[in-house]
Amino acid sequence: MLTHISSAHDYRETTATGKLSAAFLFSRYEALNGFSPSSFLDVGCGEGLVLSCVANSDPEVSLTGTDTVAETLSCARQIVPSASLLLREGAPEGSFDTILAHLTLGLWERPLHLLAHAVQQLSTRGLMYIVDINVKDLELGLSYAINDEERSYLRSQYDSAYTLQQFTDLLIRSAPAEQGYEVLTGT
């Protein structure tokens, strides 16, 4: 039941921001490097809606998605059959030009470990973009719920969210500047 509630809410409220986040990530990569990325990893890809959007806008990019829910990956396989889809938490081994974690970081069981591992999977010119909710925005987030079940689902999401400072600290520990990483955060 929770998967149905989260899928319905996410489709209605977060699909557009996921697609926008992927478009921003690709645009930023191109601006920094002068060419398009050749690979894209969507960590927590769900039903594959962002992967599908990327596939439609750039059919040449190699697509990989991970998720911890087999049911959603089954949907993703139907929506974007060209993607490599893996039932796992976090990034797989590999080299990725672009990595997106859209509204999933607060749900990771071992965020520091998984984030550090994802950073290590970036290609030499790779770029990771993480979008997540700010625990301080609970009331605003709850205002988007259309029923008590969604309110309960959203409350659980915010219960696992970070403040901007906690998020920044986690990123700095996962991608240290002395190893050549640059961390930018904001709201």
Side-chain angles (χ1 to χ4, degrees):
M1 179 69 161
L2 183 59
T3 300
H4 173 71
I5 293 166
S6 65
S7 293
H9 177 272
D10 292 348
Y11 184 79
R12 188 182 76 248
E13 297 292 342
T14 66
T15 299
T17 62
K19 292 176 181 179
L20 183 62
S21 296
F24 173 80
L25 175 59
F26 272 61
S27 175
R28 187 74 181 132
Y29 183 92
E30 291 167 5
L32 291 171
N33 295 300
F35 52 88
S36 298
S38 62
S39 56
F40 173 69
L41 168 62
D42 186 359
V43 179
C45 69
E47 296 177 354
L49 299 174
V50 172
L51 287 167
S52 176
C53 179
V54 171
N56 289 335
S57 66
D58 188 348
E60 300 300 314
V61 70
S62 172
L63 301 172
T64 303
T66 64
D67 205 286
T68 59
V69 180
E71 180 182 318
T72 60
L73 284 177
S74 179
C75 292
R77 282 188 181 87
Q78 293 176 13
I79 292 171
V80 61
S82 62
S84 171
L85 299 167
L86 306 167
L87 182 62
R88 63 169 292 142
E89 183 177 48
E93 296 292 325
S95 178
F96 300 95
D97 290 338
T98 52
I99 299 176
L100 176 65
H102 182 259
L103 301 176
T104 61
L105 182 65
L107 306 176
W108 296 359
E109 286 188 30
R110 300 173 299 149
L112 181 61
H113 170 78
L114 292 170
L115 191 52
H117 178 74
V119 166
Q120 293 169 358
Q121 306 318 305
L122 286 167
S123 65
T124 304
R125 296 178 176 221
L127 190 60
M128 182 184 302
Y129 190 48
I130 302 170
V131 177
D132 221 301
I133 56 178
N134 185 338
V135 70
K136 292 181 178 181
D137 293 334
L138 172 64
E139 291 308 314
L140 175 63
L142 292 178
S143 72
Y144 291 101
I146 61 171
N147 56 40
D148 289 340
E149 289 85 11
E150 278 194 7
R151 225 173 325 288
S152 176
Y153 162 68
L154 287 171
R155 190 171 298 283
S156 73
Q157 300 296 295
Y158 278 92
D159 286 347
S160 62
Y162 298 95
T163 65
L164 181 59
Q165 187 58 56
Q166 290 170 324
F167 177 65
T168 302
D169 293 345
L170 181 64
L171 289 175
I172 289 170
R173 290 173 53 207
S174 303
E178 55 271 7
Q179 292 180 12
Y181 298 107
E182 181 181 8
V183 172
L184 304 172
T185 61
T187 56

